[in-house]
Amino acid sequence: MEKLSHLSVVSFLFSISTILIVACLMSELAKKVKCPGVVGELLAGILLGPTIFGTFFPEYFQALYQDHDFSIALDGVFNLSAIIILFVAGAEIKLDFFYKHIKVIMCITFFGFLLPFLSGFLVVWYFPTIFFSSKNLTAAIFLGTALSISALPVIARILMDIEMVKTKLGAIIIASAMLTDMIGWGVFSLTIKSYQHPEGNIHIDFSLFYNLAFFLIAFIAIKYCITKLLPWFLANPIRDKYILPLILGVSLLLAAYTESMNLNASLGAFLAGILFNKLLESYNNIKQNVELFVIGFFSPLFFSSVGLQVNFIKDFNLQMTFIIILLAFVSKIAGASLGSFIAGFSAKDSVSISFGLSARGAMGIILCTIALHVGLINSQLFVALVMMALITSVISGFMLKALHNPNKNNQARGRLC
């Protein structure tokens, strides 16, 4: 097994500590200007990334964040951070709530996905030269998907910051984002397969659907086992020390399985959090400690890592970026607002839901990174999509904080029971 050198270990620890300190300072600064802390953490990544630090101090940036010996280790930590964040967010969702409001969630998800998808698809189909060299069905599907998905980690953290994650409105936003991303990543995985077989000889691959069916069966089985074993756990308090390793172990297994289906590991972790909701509520002290550690350690690392991946100066195309951001905001807000209004929410709550679902964040960046690596998009479109992901996350945080009043206790924002 290959090991890090002494110098690489020192650099790795110094990189992690730098990110944590700067992200903490930027998060507090963001809160001073009435902005969610996650915005500061995103800006910390831009400050430490190739855009600023890498431009003025390229040698130090290369040594701190791009040294091949430990860059893979850093990437592993960042991926684990996303998984743990989604697990904690999922633990705030009650499955009974999802079942109870399934029609509302599906209505919001349908329109919130459909309108952005159509806007991206039609723009590429009728005006292909804006983004690509020629008309391309695969590229049109990709851009439609990129505009449709949300960012579960960013949305979850924003809702945590403004104390909205445990409300009915917050739960609906997260549930809809989860369903949207599952659909989006499924479409994206099929799109990549289609792009890699342009000769048209690819056969319909049903493995994804088989895997999803198996995952659903496993999900129900684990939920049943947890329900049956819960009284036994509660009757044996001496086993408290085994609860967290057991929960995290199963959660990482589910995350690994969804990653193997090309649906992103974060979705599996989120579903695992939902599975263990009742068990964690019974061990509230464990749950609180996990949440504190996630907010203090994993969250700054993950959200700062977003800015470390992109140089926003090089390959920046103003026209392309403006069109992407405009399409992303208008289509998602219109679609999610329409779906929310049809589902019975007030105009204000519909707008709140739409802004909550507008954040693309890391999910959008991950999707774009894969597309860039396989050659589906060029560097200019990649930068435009990443800019869109970051700007939508920042503005969504601002707008949700402005629209959400934690002292208001109406039906839509009432605490989950």
Side-chain angles (χ1 to χ4, degrees), residues 119-136 140 143 319-320 323 327:
S119 66
F121 181 92
L122 293 176
V123 167
V124 173
W125 192 252
Y126 289 104
F127 307 98
T129 55
I130 297 178
F131 305 109
F132 301 94
S133 58
S134 60
K135 183 182 291 188
N136 188 314
L143 189 61
Q319 179 188 18
M320 186 180 294
I323 294 173
L327 282 175

Side-chain angles (χ1 to χ4, degrees), residues 54-337:
T55 299
F56 294 100
F57 307 98
E59 294 182 1
Y60 291 105
F61 174 76
Q62 178 74 21
L64 274 177
Y65 302 112
Q66 293 188 330
D67 187 287
H68 180 70
D69 286 344
F70 66 89
S71 61
I72 296 177
L74 274 176
D75 185 61
V77 172
F78 296 149
N79 285 327
L80 180 62
S81 299
I83 290 170
I84 299 300
I85 290 170
L86 262 295
F87 167 75
V88 172
E92 298 292 347
I93 300 297
K94 296 185 177 180
L95 203 56
D96 295 339
F97 173 88
F98 191 91
Y99 293 147
K100 183 178 179 181
H101 300 278
I102 185 64
K103 291 182 179 180
V104 171
I105 294 168
M106 290 188 68
C107 182
I108 296 171
T109 301
F110 176 77
F111 288 100
F113 185 91
L114 180 64
L115 266 64
F117 183 86
L118 287 177
S119 66
F121 181 92
L122 293 176
V123 167
V124 173
W125 192 252
Y126 289 104
F127 307 98
T129 55
I130 297 178
F131 305 109
F132 301 94
S133 58
S134 60
K135 183 182 291 188
N136 188 314
L137 178 61
T138 303
I141 295 175
F142 163 76
L143 189 61
T145 306
L147 296 183
S148 301
I149 65 170
S150 299
L152 274 172
V154 176
I155 292 172
R157 179 58 197 275
I158 290 174
L159 295 176
M160 288 178 187
D161 281 344
I162 61 178
E163 300 179 358
M164 194 176 170
V165 71
K166 294 182 181 180
T167 65
K168 177 180 176 181
L169 204 62
I172 286 176
I173 291 173
I174 289 182
S176 180
M178 178 189 70
L179 189 56
T180 297
D181 282 355
M182 290 184 70
I183 296 171
W185 280 98
V187 173
F188 177 68
S189 64
L190 295 176
T191 302
I192 292 298
K193 288 181 180 179
S194 174
Y195 177 76
Q196 293 173 332
H197 297 79
E199 69 279 0
N201 293 330
I202 185 172
H203 299 287
I204 297 176
D205 187 359
F206 290 102
S207 61
L208 176 64
F209 303 102
Y210 295 150
N211 287 332
L212 284 174
F214 178 81
F215 183 81
L216 180 61
I217 294 171
F219 184 91
I220 296 172
I222 294 173
K223 180 67 176 176
Y224 177 80
C225 291
I226 292 172
T227 303
K228 293 297 182 182
L229 290 173
L230 183 58
W232 182 82
F233 276 112
L234 296 178
N236 293 271
I238 195 173
R239 303 177 189 276
D240 282 14
K241 64 180 180 180
Y242 300 117
I243 295 297
L244 187 57
L246 177 63
I247 290 174
L248 290 179
V250 175
S251 301
L252 292 176
L253 281 175
L254 292 177
Y257 187 75
T258 53
E259 180 70 23
S260 71
M261 293 190 297
N262 296 318
L263 289 174
N264 196 270
S266 298
L267 292 175
F270 182 81
L271 292 173
I274 298 175
L275 277 175
F276 290 111
N277 171 270
K278 289 185 178 180
L279 184 58
L280 283 171
E281 283 185 345
S282 302
Y283 294 86
N284 194 48
N285 59 324
I286 295 178
K287 184 178 180 181
Q288 289 179 347
N289 290 334
V290 171
E291 288 178 350
L292 286 174
F293 190 63
V294 167
I295 293 174
F297 182 77
F298 287 114
S299 181
L301 287 178
F302 174 74
F303 291 108
S304 297
S305 72
V306 173
L308 297 176
Q309 303 177 48
V310 183
N311 188 323
F312 296 97
I313 298 175
K314 184 180 179 181
D315 293 322
F316 176 75
N317 185 311
L318 180 61
Q319 179 188 18
M320 186 180 294
T321 303
F322 176 78
I323 294 173
I324 289 289
I325 294 173
L326 183 65
L327 282 175
F329 258 122
V330 173
S331 61
K332 178 63 78 170
I333 291 172
S337 295

